Amino acid sequence: MDTNDKIFSLDFEFELDDFQKDAAKCIDDGQSVVVCAPTGAGKTVIAEYAIKKALNNNQRVFYTTPLKALSNQKFHDFQEAFGQDRVGLLTGDTSINRNAQVVVMTTEVFRNMLYGTNLGKIEENLKNVKYVVLDEVHYMNDEQRGTVWEESIIYCPGNIQLVALSATFSNSQELTDWINTVHNKTKLIYTDFRPVPLKHFYFSPSDSKKLLPLIAPGGGVNSKIQPEKKEKYGTKFKPKNDSESYVLNLINLLYQKEMLPAIYFAFSRKKCDTYAEKCSKLNLLSDFEAKRLMTTIDEYILENPYLANSKQLECLYSGIASHHAGLLPGLKGLIERLFQEGLIKVVFATETLAAGINMPARSTIISSISKRTDTGHRLLTANEFLQMSGRAGRRGMDEVGYVTVVGTSFQTPDEVAELVTSAANPLESKFTPSYSMVLNLLQRFTKDESRELILKSFGYYSSSSRLKPLYVEQKQYQTRIDEIENFKCHYKLKNEDILKFNKAKNQYVQMRKLTNTLRKQAKQSGRKNAEEVNEYEQRTKAFLKEMEQSKCNNCKFYKKHIKSIEILDRLKNKHLRISKVIEYEKDIYWQRFLNLSDVLEEFSYLKDDYPTEIGISTACMRTENEIFFSELINKGVLNNLSPSELAGILCAVITEESRNDKFISKLPLSGTTRKVLSDARDILRKIYYVQKKHNAEVPLLLNAKFSPYIEFWVNGGEWDDLVKNMDVAEGDIVRVFKRTVDLLRQLTVIPNVPEDIARTASFTIDCINRDPITEIF
């Protein structure tokens, strides 16, 4: 039978859990569905159910993921399950069988389709699409990319059923209600049930022969757990066991208790590498596993010879690995494959491994419940802890998963227990209008219609909870104002009467002081019955008489009352100010839209609320600051550049500033690139001042940190020679080179880009895309 005629059974080889059955029924009923379940609960089964229905009905499915690596993984999984001819892949730099019935793509690609940019017309892109699966929808929380998920949901046509899959978060019903409002009928399927339950343990480095249950049988922290102590070290306190040899003891302990394989989460690349090197001395593999591991690695190296000199290989041969963003993608792919095959027993990883990639383990180890950020140390959030701990327990392989938290002197056992038992955090909107969003919306809609779409954001919908602290403060001010204005005087006096008495009292006090001064001066000069003294005495008596006639003079509540009246104006001003802040914050998304529109208008990208020719071209761009990229093209800055020079400039445009930018490159930067960078800075400064004028905060990047490296590479340099001259991790270089390729690729498809620039960009891509930069499948 031709694979295109194959009918897929909607039954599975195993009994579905109740939440999976409920979600399948929603799909059958034509509803969209939000599925919130713990990591490893089996959410993918629901997506597979939708895919089978679509294939049987000759319809199409888009499966979106937040990561290219995850897209690649799903692409291969679905090809195996549904046939190669039925499954396609679309990422920023890859297009395979894009018209297939099942197309796996990054969420950014789907969002771009909805804008109808250079990916083709919206109607053609979405023809016959019945379902869109939004995997890892909790990525809406991501500071940089979260807005993509909101845009995708808002602009997705209502006839398409959404299948949103997410880890658990506390306001899942609010998200579902929002999708109900902006898309179509949507139901929440929520479960906190884990098919493989977790047991939590506490490991104390100062007593490294024990692994203690974290929670006592009756609840609360196990009384046998003692906080880690600090010992004096010079002028500072230094944690005990600073040699970190306890890591060896812990891994050995887990091995003896048959709790491996494990993912050990550390929060720095250096620690991951150091721990892996230490533990490579351990013998964790059977003879059969060791032989199979060696064969698998050697075969992989033959296919990817650039990895032959990797320092990581020594650890890998012992069944230990370090996994972080500083590694080459090809090496990470090997580690993930070996771990999935059970040939790696311990992976020391940064928290990025907790996001999406299919690498479940029997145990997860969390080295600390705090981590360093750009703004200092902070405790892990409940969601971060759940994502990492959720990797423990393999369905169908383990009856229980183990989570071990390593004690440190910077955290108490009580704090650990509180985090372990905490409920998930809420999902927060990161919706952010951009220049391309403004241009795309105004190309398709009027300004009023665009406002309606902007106000459909989850951020606006959830503004009541987002602004709750401000509402509380506003209410406190209003309550205090009402108390003062509604204060009932015992003598039924009005505030004006009390203020009049207070004024008379103050005048009396001043007049009495002045009269006493004049009396002393007259006495010193020997003048009795001085005329001015008599005059001021009479005026003082008049003020006193006026005071005595007021009922406030003997009222015990006077001081409290007048004090309240005096602060009333201040309270009203504060209330007015916070009310304005609330109104601004409620409308912050539309206000940002208008601010960006003003900038676009000043640069002639908009006219009469519609994109100009240059604006239409800019609408197709995807980068940190689309105006900057567009101006570089339109001002001729990119004209007549060699491939290496063009790569060097665009590399600077996508490179962010960081704390480690003080190093000096060992490779030279070409003279032409230096001159062009100077011209680019002039353009950047102009955009900066226009943005400041219109209160538009959009990043402007121009950092030539990696430009010498990419010039060397494009000019044919060898990777080994490049590595010798690098002060940064190989993985960081690969990531920057790939982002540069993404910008170069845009030059080949954006309308109205000069032909010579597009041609140079295409050639430059070919120069960059060689091992180890080439995408690993």
Side-chain angles (χ1 to χ4, degrees), residues 627-643:
I627 284 186
F628 184 37
F629 187 32
S630 185
E631 288 292 285
L632 291 177
I633 299 168
N634 296 304
K635 299 298 183 187
V637 174
L638 304 182
N639 292 347
N640 304 316
L641 296 179
S642 70

Side-chain angles (χ1 to χ4, degrees), residues 307-375:
L307 294 175
N309 297 323
S310 173
K311 297 175 183 178
Q312 280 270 341
L313 291 180
E314 186 179 342
C315 290
L316 285 186
Y317 281 119
S318 63
I320 302 291
S322 172
H323 187 291
H324 52 71
L327 301 181
L328 290 172
L331 185 57
K332 287 199 291 183
L334 173 60
I335 292 167
E336 290 160 13
R337 175 177 160 187
L338 293 172
F339 193 83
Q340 289 164 4
E341 292 180 10
L343 298 176
I344 294 292
K345 299 303 178 182
V346 183
V347 171
F348 293 94
T350 53
E351 63 186 304
T352 53
L353 185 63
I357 301 300
N358 182 27
M359 282 181 65
R362 181 169 292 169
S363 291
T364 57
I365 305 157
I366 299 171
S367 62
S368 172
I369 62 165
S370 66
K371 67 174 184 177
R372 185 192 299 275
T373 66
D374 291 336
T375 56

Side-chain angles (χ1 to χ4, degrees), residues 447-637:
K447 194 171 185 178
D448 288 340
E449 289 170 337
S450 297
R451 185 175 191 274
E452 290 300 313
L453 287 167
I454 292 296
L455 296 185
K456 283 184 175 182
S457 71
F458 183 57
Y460 187 83
Y461 182 85
S462 60
S463 61
S464 58
S465 56
R466 178 171 58 87
L467 300 177
K468 190 174 181 179
L470 292 176
Y471 283 125
V472 169
E473 193 174 351
Q474 183 191 44
K475 187 176 180 181
Q476 288 172 342
Y477 285 134
Q478 188 60 56
T479 301
R480 192 76 183 90
I481 290 168
D482 291 343
E483 285 175 356
I484 293 170
E485 291 185 333
N486 296 328
F487 179 81
K488 293 183 178 179
C489 174
H490 182 69
Y491 298 107
K492 297 183 180 180
L493 297 180
K494 297 180 181 179
N495 285 350
E496 292 78 8
D497 299 324
I498 297 164
L499 286 170
K500 184 179 178 182
F501 166 78
N502 192 61
K503 182 180 179 181
K505 181 182 176 184
N506 289 335
Q507 289 175 322
Y508 164 73
V509 171
Q510 293 298 320
M511 195 62 67
R512 189 177 61 186
K513 286 181 180 178
L514 183 57
T515 302
N516 289 337
T517 301
L518 291 173
R519 192 180 290 116
K520 286 179 183 178
Q521 291 175 346
K523 186 176 181 181
Q524 288 171 356
S525 60
R527 293 184 298 120
K528 292 183 180 180
N529 299 321
E531 186 177 340
E532 67 272 18
V533 173
N534 292 332
E535 180 185 344
Y536 274 88
E537 283 179 345
Q538 293 303 315
R539 291 172 67 179
T540 301
K541 288 177 181 177
F543 282 122
L544 177 61
K545 186 177 180 181
E546 184 180 348
M547 280 175 53
E548 289 174 340
Q549 288 175 348
S550 172
K551 291 186 169 44
C552 291
N553 195 46
N554 298 312
C555 179
K556 61 181 179 180
F557 298 111
Y558 159 71
K559 288 184 178 180
K560 180 181 178 181
H561 199 170
I562 192 61
K563 185 178 180 181
S564 296
I565 293 173
E566 287 174 342
I567 66 170
L568 183 60
D569 285 342
R570 274 181 289 164
L571 289 172
K572 285 183 175 180
N573 286 334
K574 287 180 178 179
H575 183 271
L576 179 63
R577 192 158 52 243
I578 203 165
S579 298
K580 286 181 178 178
V581 170
I582 288 172
E583 287 306 308
Y584 179 83
E585 288 294 327
K586 276 174 64 178
D587 228 14
I588 193 169
Y589 307 109
W590 179 242
Q591 188 58 54
R592 179 180 169 86
F593 185 98
L594 294 176
N595 294 345
L596 297 177
S597 298
D598 291 340
V599 176
L600 288 164
E601 198 167 308
E602 185 152 339
F603 279 101
S604 300
Y605 286 50
L606 278 179
K607 185 177 181 182
D608 299 327
D609 296 327
Y610 191 83
T612 59
E613 185 178 357
I614 189 175
I616 290 171
S617 298
T618 307
C620 301
M621 298 177 183
R622 294 292 175 271
T623 185
E624 288 287 346
N625 193 307
E626 296 89 344
I627 284 186
F628 184 37
F629 187 32
S630 185
E631 288 292 285
L632 291 177
I633 299 168
N634 296 304
K635 299 298 183 187
V637 174

